[in-house]
Amino acid sequence: MQAWQVHENGEPSEVMRLEDVETPTPGDGQVLLKVRAANINFPDALLCRGQYQVRPPLPFTPGVEICGETEDGRRVLANPALPYGGFAEYAVADAAAVLPAPESLDDAEAAALHIGYQTGWFGLHRRAALEAGETLLVHAAAGGVGSAAVQLGKAAGARVIGVVGGSEKAAVARELGCDVVIDRRAQDVIAAVKEATGGRGADVIYDPVGGEAYTQSAKVVAFEGRIVVVGFASGSIPSPALNHALVKNYSILGLHWGLYNTKNPKLIQHCHEQLTELAARGAIKPLVSERVPLDGAAGAVQRVADGVTTGRVAVIPGLTEGGAA
């Protein structure tokens, strides 16, 4: 089979190589899946760079989120068990963690429903207890993680403010349903949020960016507000001033979604059921901005790493250059 292999750490476009390799053999408790679509996540770039919390032995195949097909023909969602990731024709996954793919979504959309939307659901509902009528601020609102949070916030009845970088991403954020869109390249984020909230600030802030975005968050969080720390796409990990959290009376909440797989896996299943229902009634629908064939994966991972994409980019092994599967 064909699979992308990383033999040394570095930038995705430089270290990912498409090779002919043996189809992996599943171990105990694992299942072999034919990859129907693999969604690209920022951690795929971090894996290539050797900067992710999980460091599989070299060589490995990246791709942490797929819609696959079991040997008996079932369409499922899975997080492949590295080193046999999803940017390949076949991947391996833990059988106990495989979830049914929602019938209302196609393969690429289904592949994009898992990590980003589960992270959003746990962040907004489990950690921050977002309530209808509250104001939700989402950083990088047009990206893969942010777009999921925007849709989930709207589905929960929140007023959503999206922060983006550039006019094209601003247009995407509006299409996603943001009530207010702030272009950080053209506007003062802090002043714009205060204006949009009458000086009160945002009740919940969803931050997958870190760095300057977190600094802005601390200045615009409302009384009894909650800042959900999801990741550090900026590459800068902030050091929050706890005296500031005390004086302004807000909470800083960390979210490591992957821990639920080991600490409370039943919640993963419950969340998937909630997401499936939301997708079935059209309340959420993953934004897939690009669908690329398998041989385009390295360039696509690099674009995600560089922050120039919107929504999700899906790698589809059966796709041809003309776009037909």
Side-chain angles (χ1 to χ4, degrees):
M1 71 165 190
Q2 284 197 308
W4 285 92
Q5 296 269 279
V6 174
H7 291 267
E8 60 184 357
N9 295 130
E11 286 302 300
S13 61
E14 298 173 0
V15 300
M16 288 177 62
R17 302 182 208 161
L18 186 58
E19 300 177 352
D20 289 315
V21 300
E22 293 292 325
T23 300
T25 300
D28 291 340
Q30 293 184 325
V31 61
L32 179 68
L33 298 174
K34 180 180 180 180
V35 179
R36 296 175 66 108
N39 177 46
I40 298 174
N41 288 266
F42 191 69
D44 291 313
L46 296 179
L47 280 165
C48 290
R49 294 167 176 166
Q51 297 174 347
Y52 197 51
Q53 56 256 42
V54 176
R55 296 192 179 186
L58 297 169
F60 68 89
T61 298
V64 298
E65 180 178 43
I66 67 168
C67 174
E69 185 178 325
T70 62
E71 291 184 277
D72 59 2
R74 290 179 295 120
R75 198 166 151 264
V76 298
L77 305 185
N79 300 126
L82 299 176
Y84 304 114
F87 301 146
E89 292 180 301
Y90 287 88
V92 167
D94 293 331
V98 166
L99 298 167
E103 295 180 3
S104 59
L105 303 177
D106 68 21
D107 292 341
E109 293 165 344
L113 185 75
H114 197 34
I115 295 175
Y117 281 84
Q118 286 253 348
T119 300
W121 189 91
F122 274 91
L124 299 181
H125 294 292
R126 181 80 180 176
R127 302 293 284 135
L130 178 69
E131 297 181 5
E134 288 192 313
T135 296
L136 167 66
L137 171 64
V138 179
H139 288 287
V145 174
S147 61
V150 168
Q151 291 186 355
L152 288 167
K154 292 299 294 181
R159 180 180 184 235
V160 180
I161 299 173
V163 178
V164 299
S167 58
E168 291 184 9
K169 292 187 177 182
V172 170
R174 291 188 188 94
E175 291 175 9
L176 286 166
C178 286
D179 299 284
V180 177
V181 177
I182 299 170
D183 182 353
R184 60 179 172 79
R185 295 181 182 173
Q187 297 171 265
D188 181 320
V189 173
I190 296 168
V193 173
K194 289 183 176 179
E195 180 182 355
T197 60
R200 183 174 178 278
D203 299 292
V204 175
I205 300 177
Y206 193 79
D207 181 13
V209 180
E212 180 61 22
Y214 180 84
T215 302
Q216 295 164 348
S217 298
K219 293 181 179 179
V220 299
V221 63
F223 172 75
E224 292 196 327
R226 292 85 79 197
I227 300 174
V228 185
V229 178
V230 183
F232 312 104
S234 67
S236 174
I237 301 176
S239 299
L242 297 186
N243 61 324
H244 190 261
L246 182 154
V247 171
K248 285 194 68 176
N249 207 48
Y250 64 87
S251 302
I252 304 166
L253 306 170
L255 174 62
H256 180 185
W257 171 74
L259 275 181
Y260 287 96
N261 278 308
T262 54
K263 301 291 187 182
N264 196 342
K266 288 184 179 179
L267 277 177
I268 299 285
Q269 178 65 45
H270 171 69
C271 175
H272 182 65
E273 291 168 359
Q274 299 295 307
L275 295 176
T276 298
E277 193 221 336
L278 288 169
R281 58 185 175 91
I284 59 173
K285 186 179 179 69
L287 170 63
V288 180
S289 59
E290 289 184 69
R291 299 163 194 255
V292 300
L294 184 59
D295 61 11
V301 174
Q302 188 65 56
R303 291 196 298 279
V304 171
D306 293 341
V308 297
T309 59
T310 57
R312 289 299 191 185
V313 179
V315 177
I316 303 177
L319 193 69
T320 64
E321 288 293 344

